[in-house]
Amino acid sequence: PTSATYKIAGGLKGKFTSAIGYKFEASYGEEKDKALFALNDYEQNDIYDKGYEKAHSFNVLYDKVNTLTIEGEVLADVSDELQLGLDAAFHNYSTSNEDEAWNLPELEARVFANYKITDKIYTRASIFFIGERNDRVFVPGAFLEPDTYNTVKLKSYVDANLQVSYQFTPQLSFFAKGNNLVGGAYKKWYAYPMQDIQFMLGATYQFDWQ
């Protein structure tokens, strides 16, 4: 299990105006045995005995990681019906044994909006940005040469989502949701392309056990 040795944080919270608030925080902490996900060693000769040998699985590597994080948020209540927000976080990682903090992004950002069309119909929209990440790829050694790893950089990506919900009763609601609306099969993980534009229709029901 991961052990958080310490974390020091400080920040500011307030309002620019009566309708626009902000929050800023900087923190520094140390985690022992932090779980890092890295691509498993896999065969590169198209001969696979097991499914995970085709770059479809991950290894968990534990390391002591020190993290400096600077993050901020701006939230605006434009009206009783519309709320807009922006948050972003920058991370700087320092590892003890591993070459990189595998698959952890240095930059994350999000723009979001909540809009109440009527008392029963409301929408939620968000755009996520995830910065570059590092992973490692196994390179088998040649004759009398040891096996090695190459560090690969995964590209940053943007993902836009939109949901429209209808509150039919206090317990029952219906929704239509679209994910990855900007399209593109970006790779969240190495050799793991995401699906292109996705749509979902559904319903939720909240039971009142009281």
Side-chain angles (χ1 to χ4, degrees), residues 157-164 175-188 192-201:
Y157 64 86
V158 175
D159 193 332
N161 307 290
L162 176 65
Q163 178 172 325
V164 180
F175 67 88
K177 187 176 183 180
N179 293 330
N180 197 16
L181 297 179
V182 295
Y186 63 82
K187 293 181 180 179
K188 183 175 181 180
Y192 269 71
M194 295 292 291
Q195 291 181 338
D196 215 320
I197 299 176
Q198 307 157 49
F199 294 100
M200 178 186 298
L201 297 174

Side-chain angles (χ1 to χ4, degrees), residues 85-87 109-113 125-130 157-162 182:
L86 166 66
D87 55 48
R110 179 180 64 134
V111 179
F112 59 92
S126 60
I127 300 177
F128 293 89
F129 172 83
I130 302 297
Y157 64 86
V158 175
D159 193 332
N161 307 290
L162 176 65
V182 295

Side-chain angles (χ1 to χ4, degrees), residues 7 22 31 55 59 66-67 87 108-109 115-116 122 149 175 189-190 197 205-206:
K7 182 178 181 179
Y22 68 88
E31 295 172 283
N59 191 9
N66 291 69
T67 305
D87 55 48
E108 301 174 274
Y115 182 61
K116 186 177 181 180
Y122 54 92
Y149 291 92
F175 67 88
W189 308 90
Y190 182 85
I197 299 176
Y205 187 85
Q206 180 177 339

Side-chain angles (χ1 to χ4, degrees), residues 41-42 44 137-142 146-150:
D41 300 352
Y42 68 97
Q44 301 181 26
V137 176
F138 175 69
V139 180
D147 298 338
T148 58
Y149 291 92
N150 283 341

Side-chain angles (χ1 to χ4, degrees), residues 25-44:
E25 182 177 284
S27 63
Y28 184 81
E30 178 184 274
E31 295 172 283
K32 293 182 178 179
D33 295 322
K34 182 178 179 64
L36 302 173
F37 294 93
L39 189 68
N40 249 332
D41 300 352
Y42 68 97
E43 297 292 336
Q44 301 181 26

